[in-house]
Structure formats: structure tokens, C-alpha cells
Amino acid sequence: MKLVQTLRSLHGNKVGAAIEELHRSENDLAGALLNLSDQQKVDHEIFHVARDIARWSQLHVRRLSEVGRDYGLELDPEPQDEAGLFARVKQKGAGLGGRFHEPTLLLLADLRHIHRMAAGVSLDWEVLAQTAQAMKDTELLSVTQECHPQTLRQMRWTNSKVKETAAQIMVTG
Amino acid sequence: MAVDRIAEPWGSRTPYDAGETWPVRVDSYLADGLDPADVDHWAQAASILHSNGDAMDIAVKDGRMVGVRGRAEDRVNHGRLGPKDLYGWQANGSEDRLTRPLVRRNGRLVETDWDTAMDAVAGRTRDLLEERGPSSIGFYTTGQLFLEEYYTLGLVAHGGIGTNHVDGNTRLCTATAAAALKESFACDGQPGSYTDIDHADVICLYGHNMAETQTVLWTRVLDRLAGAEPPAIVCVDPRRTPVAEHATVHLAPRPGTNVVLMNALLRELLDNGWVDHEYVDAHAVGFDELEKMLQDYTVHRAAEVCDVPPADVEEAARLIGTSQRLMSTVLQGFYQSHQATAAAVQVNNIHILRGMLGRPGCGLLQMNGQPTAQNTRECGADGDLPGFRNWSNDAHVEDLARVWNIDPAEIPHYSEPTPVMQMMRYVEDGSIRFLYVSGTNPAVSLPELRRIRSILSQERLFLVVQDIFLTETAQLADVVLPAATWGEKTGTFTNADRTVHLSEKAVDPPGEARPDLDIFIDYARRLGLRDKDGAPLVKWSTAEEAFEAWKECSRGRPCDYTGITYDRLRGGSGIQWPCTDQSPDGTERLYADGCFWSHPDYCESYGRDLVTGAPVEPTEYKALNPQGKAVLKAAEYLPPRELPSADHPFQLITGRTIYHFHTRTKTGRAPELQAAAPEVWVEASASDAEQLGWKQGDLLEVTTPRGAVTARLRITGVRRGVLFLPFHYGYWDTDAGHEPDGRGRAANELTLTDWDPASKQPVFKTAAANAMVVKPAGGIR
């Protein structure tokens, strides 16, 4: 325990910065997933699943805010939610009852964007997990072990949705 | 004196004891006071009005069907028939059968000849293939055709036209059965057998109202209950069904919470040491992940989330955990619910943890809803490749191409075949322009009907409907093709415990109606579909030839039919697959030796993420399960997507009645069945009715954000806060024809467009709804 505290005080700034960065990018990812859901109301599986897995990023934001306290951070435990999104200007795509094929091109672009965001988040969790191991910070390590697999599932989902829809979107119509 | 089988659907008891053979009881019904001596001949068949596979003979006199009789020698029903079997055949002779093809001219459907109709269908297909490619073509079939027809359709669509958009309405009833089996055993195929009822000491029914959906199977259970050493019954159902009335423990969870309940039951098994660790160590992977997941799922949490008494959960777990021969069946209460696959998989987990597979009494049946759903799945007519081949395994696709004598690239396998709800989305966005619907009625059976009607009515969509009546969907079609049905054509089909039956032609179809097989082959020939040597792609013209071709396709695969012939199916009992030279009498139970079909090179599926539905990558699966064991797959609970609110305080579930099948196209035309359940009704609990001042028989309007349905109130044992509507009732027998005229009657006016991401089965059990009295039962109150 003592060792952990020493290491935290020695390297705290760098680790704190990494936690802060991840807290921000998880928040962005939650927001992007909710935004995607909002825009794809006519594509029901995207609409529902994007919401379901935005919850994972929201949970990660809370866990990071908790573990951030050990590094002297005061991160907002309240993640990005829908209230914040309603203010945004929405892209079209959900409009006109979904009777047009071209907006689905936007879907591909969004999925691609979110996949890359999630990949970034995943790498950040990797960095944090390695750091936690080196610092023998079991608390931080268990947060990474709890959260990182869900980030990987978010990545696999976007990847699979691209795979599933790309041909229909690109070739037909 | 004959028993009134409408009033007593399960008939009289023939009690038997554990381990004995179920006694024979031959049920029959002949029309017009006819006597068996009056019958000219009997044609062998099996029922296509439910998934049980009751074997029967059709009585024929003067070229007409005049009745049915159960087949005493058959392993499935030992002579018994249910009410739908006894009376449903009369629909074949209805006056309003389709007898000539119809085409739309100036907005109206008019009669035409086969050449004109088929040229229109093939012509539009060819045009679209040239203009927009195969992905603009979709096929939506059923769970009521025959094996030979599905196999032919799968070949035409996947191998000939090259589209990925092929599904069956089995998506609505059994997709989760297949998905759950693929998760746990990496392959479809029911592990258990109906004979497990003869041996079981505990029978669990998860969301399965067997008494109404498989009446003859429930008769078998009732006969066990009436004998010595009766089994204990565990029932999970929010309604007080006939099954619940016979249950030792009845758990009535809040809709949308099945995963919490199942996880709590599993955790109890672990906590009390009711786990066969030797079996698990030798035959399964994933135990540690499951154990970790279950940490959060206490009985206390289940009691709170599911709103069930904790002592009942503990008692159910004790029965399951201490049973010697545990049988489980699962159906729509799980399959059509939120987190369908995740919940159904936990039932598999119970059997794996307890080592209860492949022995008498240890039956696991992820039941089917429709009579020939198993074949839709096996033959590749519903989003699977034929023979349980794995679409993400290139070697399997190459092998299928070898069987079909085409180039592997001709079979689209860059993604899994498209499930129907996604197909509807593609029709909606205009990327699918041709939809060929056979033997099903999406304008009544799919969720959110206003949306479905509007999608199917689009001018730019060319809709072909092949059916035996002018259904709600057929009324929207551009071409309607009149089909022959059961009793008018020959073919095979397979029930929920893998029993294959032959169903022979007894009478001629009416007018110019043709067997579905003949229509599909005609379509293929008009399209000029060829194999890679220039020979016709479809190399058969009769049902028996199609069956022989299918046998070759199934060779070496789990659903191996190579030991079955039409002749072997004649006269005796149905035969359970796999049936090969090594197992000529078929296979009663799968996985008897703890060996599974889950090896990475052999398995049908690598599984999916139960929350996102993302397929597991081949490399991941190989790392997880290199030796091909059973997979214990853990699942976290997610709250339902639509929760009750102040405006919509009830949870609406839709379901079935014993007297009707699907959208009533046949059962609504059988006088006894129609009279038994002529109109839609809504069920509510006594406490809700009392609180709101509702009386039995009040006309209620049930509403959701999608629509409204009016129905008479029945106060029943459904749980508080829940409304139940049967889904069978549409509009074909109303003045409006295919849509509501003012008052809605189809339950799917109300349901939401949402599905389980893993099985793609729509959610029919958790819509938030409101209800109010529009007309009291006794007039003004």
C-alpha cells in the first residue's frame, strides 16, 4: 500500500493526465453513440444498441471519476447524456420516414468515426492497464479490467455493423 | 361417447409411471357423421398447425378430405391429436381458396393465367438484377412449407440469384431457439427428445405455455402427472396458464426481466453446490466468466427486479438443483422477450452445469413455434446456410458450392443472411425493390403494422405473395400465386425433437393451385438459372428427387438425413435425425457422450455478443473453444427499451390461444375452432380491473404510441400491471380487408419495432401501453 502511494505521488501527474484524457474521450464516445442513435431512429437496431452500449461509456466515466480521486483529480462523475444532446443541431437522416437510401451513407461514415473513437479509447485503457500493473495499483487495474472489455465490444459492434451494411449501402441503389 | 375436444383440448387421461411407455390413445374426427368404413383411403401425414409433429392419416372419400386419425405407431403422439389437428383440415376445402393467379392491373388484382403471372415475376426479377443487382431482391418465407421446398428456395435465392436477403417467418418464432443452441453448442439441433417426459423427475417450462402451443405434448405431461412418481413442474410465465395451474412452483416475473431471474437461479445452483464440476471441467468452457457474472445476481436482487417471492426462486432452484433427471423447454415467453437469446442461453447453462444432457429424462428442448421451422433453418431458407454450414467459414461455403456445382463466389457470404426486420428496413429505404413472400402474412404478424403496411404498399416495391388464401399481405401484392398446401402435395418436415415425417398428397389442389415446390422450380427455369457447367441449377422436378438432393447436401453435417428415404418413412413412425448408415434408426438424443458439434472447423456458428449481436470472429472462437466443448455463456441484464410511464402504465404482452394458429388463415376457417375463439380479447389482472373499475366483458381500447386495438376484457390470472392480447386476429374477415377500419384488431398495431440483436427475433412482450373502457359490458354504467 505504501509503495502505491509513493508511486502515485511520484508519477501522479502523468497518470492523472491519462485518466483525465480517458475520462474526456469516454464522455465523447458516449455522446457520439447517443448522437448516432438519435440520427438513426429509422434503423432500429442501430438506434437501440447504440443506446445500450453508450451506457457502458457512461459507466466508465463514473468509474474514472472515482479512481481519479486517488490521483487528486476532481472529474465530473455525470456522463454525457441525452439532455446535452437535444441542444445539438441534428444532421438529417432520420427525417422523411427513412424513405431515402442516400442517408445510409452517413450511417457508414458515423460507424467508421465511432469505431476509430472506440479504438482510441481502447488504446488509452491499454496504457492505463500497463501503468496500473507497473505501479501495482490494484484498484486502477481492476477498473481497467472491468471497463476495457466493454470498449472492445463497442469496437466489434461498429466493425460488424459496417461489415453488415457496407455492401447494401455501396452497391445497391 | 365422444369427448368434446374444444371443451377438453387434452382429452381423457391415460396415466403412466416414470420410465414406462406412454399408452396409445387414437383420436380421430370424421365429418358429416361418416364412419371409418365409409372412407375410401387414408393418406399418411403429420400436423402443420403447430410444431409438435403429430402424425396422422387423412381420410379421403370421393376425392375429398373428410377427416383425420392419429397414428398409433408414431413416437411423437402415440395416436393422439390436438383440437387444431382434429378440425383444422377443413380449411383446405374453403370456398375462398385461391384457385387462379392474380396480377395487379390499374390498381386492382385480377385473375390471369400462370404463364402471365410467372413471366411478370421472373421478368421483374431479371430487370432488377440488371439494373440494381441481387441485393435488390429479397425472399421471405415461412415455417409451414415442406423441407423440399425450402431447400429449393434456398438454392434459387442464395445459389442462383445470389442475394443475401433470405429469411423465414421462423424469425418471429424460433430464431432464438437456433441462436441459443448456437451460442451454447455452436450448432443448431435440439439436444433432447419428447421421450424425456417419460423419465424426467423435474420438468421446467420457461415462457412455454405447452398446454396451448403443443397440446399433445402437454397431454403426455398430464398423463405423467396422473401416474406414479409424477414429476415436479416449474413454470416461468407472467400469466396463470394451464401449465402454471399444474406447477409445483410458478414464477411470474415482470416482463423484460428474464435474464435476472435466470442468473439468480444459476447463482443458487453454484452457491448450493448443485453443479457437476467433473462434467463441466471435462466438457465445457467459460465457467469462470459465468461465475464472475453471477456475483451480482442474488435471489434478493431477482425478487426486486422481477417482482417474484424470493422463497419461490429458492424453491425452483432447489428443484432444479436436486433433480436426477431434469427436462427443460423454452418458448415465446423467452424468445419474444427483451434479451431473448441471453435468457434462453441460461437454460442451456443449467443443463451444462448439471451435466444433464444426452441421458433419458435429461432433455433440453429450445422449442419451435411453427410446424416446419426446423427445416427452414436446416435448409437455408431463413438466414442460415443449408446443412448448418457456417457462413463465416470459407471451407463450408466452398463445400456448399461443390454440392450445388457453382462457383463459391456465387454464394453471398460476406455477411450473414439478412433477417426479416432488416429486410423491411431495406424495402423501406428502397434498396430492396422485389420481395417474394411465400406462405406467410407479414401484414399481420410483424410488429408495428402501420409501418409494415406502409412499407409493403410502396409503389416502387414489386411484391409477390404465394399463398392459399387472399391474406392481408396478398391484398397488397402485385402478383398473387395460388399454392397447394398440406394434404394436396407430398413432402417431408421435421418437428421440434428432430423427428422427420412424410406427408403425402391425399387430394388434388383446388383449381389451378400448384405445390410451392413446382412454383419455385418454374421460377428458376424462367430465370434460366444454371450451374457452372451450364446444366439447370435446380436438378429435380419432384419432391422425392428434391429430398434425395437434400440428403447429399446434409451428408456429414449434424442434420444428416442420408439414412432416411420416403419408403422408410411410410407406414411406421417418424425418424429422428441424424440418421445415417451408422445410426439407421435415427438418434434419440444428441450429445450423449459429452461430445459436441462445436469444433471450430465443424461448427455452424462462432456465436455472437449477446448485447450487441456482433458475431464472434473465427480467431476469437478458436482461442476460446479449440477442442469443441460446450460453451457456458454469461449474460448481463439490460433494462427493457420501452418501460411503462405515466401515459402508458401497463406492459403489453402478445401471445397465442389453443384454438388458432398464426394469423388464423386456416384455423379461422375451421368452424369449431373459429367458434371457440371468434374474436380478439384482452386480459388484465383482477387487481388492476378492480382498481380501474373494469368489469368482465367491457370493451377496452388498448393504446401504445404506435396504434390502438379494441377488445373485450377478460379478467384472468395474468400478473398485475400486464395486459395480454392474442396476436392471431387480423382483418381478412372484416369489411376493411387488410387494415383497420376505425378500430384496430391486430395486436401488432401496438407492438414496437425492436429485436434481440443476437437472434434478430422481434420483441413482442414488453410494449408500454394504456387501456380505457370505451363501452361497458352491460351498456351504460
Side-chain angles (χ1 to χ4, degrees), chain B residues 665-695:
Chain B
T665 46
K666 282 187 175 174
T667 52
R669 289 171 169 97
E672 293 84 355
L673 300 172
Q674 172 62 7
E679 254 308 328
V680 66
W681 73 91
V682 58
E683 295 182 18
S685 71
S687 62
D688 285 328
E690 191 185 78
Q691 199 185 334
L692 293 160
W694 297 344
K695 298 277 185 298

Side-chain angles (χ1 to χ4, degrees), chain A residues 44, chain B residues 421 425 428 448-455 753:
Chain A
H44 295 79
Chain B
M421 296 305 293
R425 171 73 197 123
E428 185 176 41
E448 204 178 340
L449 288 183
R450 194 163 45 184
R451 170 174 180 261
I452 296 301
R453 281 188 296 264
S454 115
I455 289 173
T753 303

Side-chain angles (χ1 to χ4, degrees), chain B residues 134-135 137 157-158 162-166 412-419 423:
Chain B
S135 295
I137 314 274
H158 286 300
T163 179
N164 217 15
H165 307 318
V166 185
H413 59 284
Y414 43 83
S415 170
E416 65 158 341
T418 314
M423 262 198 248

Side-chain angles (χ1 to χ4, degrees), chain B residues 393-711:
Chain B
N393 183 334
D394 285 344
H396 287 199
V397 176
E398 278 164 30
D399 186 57
L400 183 61
R402 173 191 60 78
V403 173
W404 286 349
N405 195 36
I406 60 175
D407 193 289
E410 301 287 323
I411 304 171
H413 59 284
Y414 43 83
S415 170
E416 65 158 341
T418 314
V420 66
M421 296 305 293
Q422 192 62 43
M423 262 198 248
M424 288 297 152
R425 171 73 197 123
Y426 292 152
V427 175
E428 185 176 41
D429 80 11
S431 60
I432 289 182
R433 298 272 169 117
F434 173 101
L435 188 65
Y436 190 148
V437 176
S438 47
T440 189
N441 193 9
V444 179
S445 56
L446 289 183
E448 204 178 340
L449 288 183
R450 194 163 45 184
R451 170 174 180 261
I452 296 301
R453 281 188 296 264
S454 115
I455 289 173
L456 294 178
S457 311
Q458 290 174 95
E459 195 65 34
R460 64 186 173 186
L461 172 70
F462 192 88
L463 180 65
V464 180
V465 174
Q466 180 170 311
D467 213 308
I468 68 170
F469 294 109
L470 194 67
T471 62
E472 290 83 345
T473 309
Q475 292 173 46
L476 301 172
D478 295 285
V479 176
V480 179
L481 303 173
T485 183
W486 171 92
E488 301 161 358
K489 61 182 185 181
T490 294
T492 55
F493 51 91
T494 306
N495 77 347
D497 85 338
R498 294 174 282 104
T499 305
V500 185
H501 285 117
L502 178 69
S503 189
E504 305 251 34
K505 176 176 171 177
V507 299
D508 285 328
E512 297 175 23
R514 298 167 71 192
D516 298 271
L517 179 68
D518 295 10
I519 305 173
F520 291 145
I521 293 174
D522 184 346
Y523 178 55
R525 302 226 158 119
R526 279 173 208 263
L527 286 175
L529 301 179
R530 303 267 153 193
D531 69 10
K532 66 182 181 192
D533 297 324
L537 181 69
V538 182
K539 297 175 173 45
W540 48 87
S541 50
T542 68
E544 189 161 5
E545 287 164 12
F547 184 79
E548 290 299 315
W550 159 249
K551 280 163 63 177
E552 280 315 304
C553 185
S554 76
R555 185 181 294 278
R557 294 302 300 161
C559 50
D560 195 323
Y561 280 66
T562 49
I564 305 178
T565 62
Y566 272 24
D567 274 345
R568 289 200 62 206
L569 292 173
R570 285 194 176 105
S573 171
I575 300 172
Q576 287 172 289
W577 65 247
C579 176
T580 63
D581 292 346
Q582 287 77 47
S583 57
D585 296 324
T587 308
E588 188 158 31
R589 296 178 184 84
L590 306 182
Y591 313 142
D593 41 9
C595 291
F596 300 92
W597 290 319
S598 54
H599 190 278
D601 295 337
Y602 188 73
C603 69
E604 180 187 13
S605 167
Y606 300 129
R608 290 173 178 280
D609 187 311
L610 295 179
V611 170
T612 68
V616 173
E617 292 292 327
T619 47
E620 271 178 89
Y621 182 82
K622 281 174 191 159
L624 167 82
N625 195 16
Q627 292 170 301
K629 298 183 176 186
V631 180
L632 288 162
K633 195 137 184 174
E636 69 250 60
Y637 168 66
L638 300 179
R641 273 82 175 256
E642 187 169 282
L643 288 165
S645 62
D647 289 347
H648 298 95
F650 287 98
Q651 283 189 299
L652 172 72
I653 59 180
T654 72
R656 292 148 184 80
T657 165
I658 191 166
Y659 302 112
H660 285 302
F661 178 69
H662 217 68
T663 60
R664 264 171 74 251
T665 46
K666 282 187 175 174
T667 52
R669 289 171 169 97
E672 293 84 355
L673 300 172
Q674 172 62 7
E679 254 308 328
V680 66
W681 73 91
V682 58
E683 295 182 18
S685 71
S687 62
D688 285 328
E690 191 185 78
Q691 199 185 334
L692 293 160
W694 297 344
K695 298 277 185 298
Q696 184 87 359
D698 282 357
L699 193 65
L700 257 57
E701 184 176 62
V702 184
T703 53
T704 71
R706 274 85 50 190
V709 166
T710 43

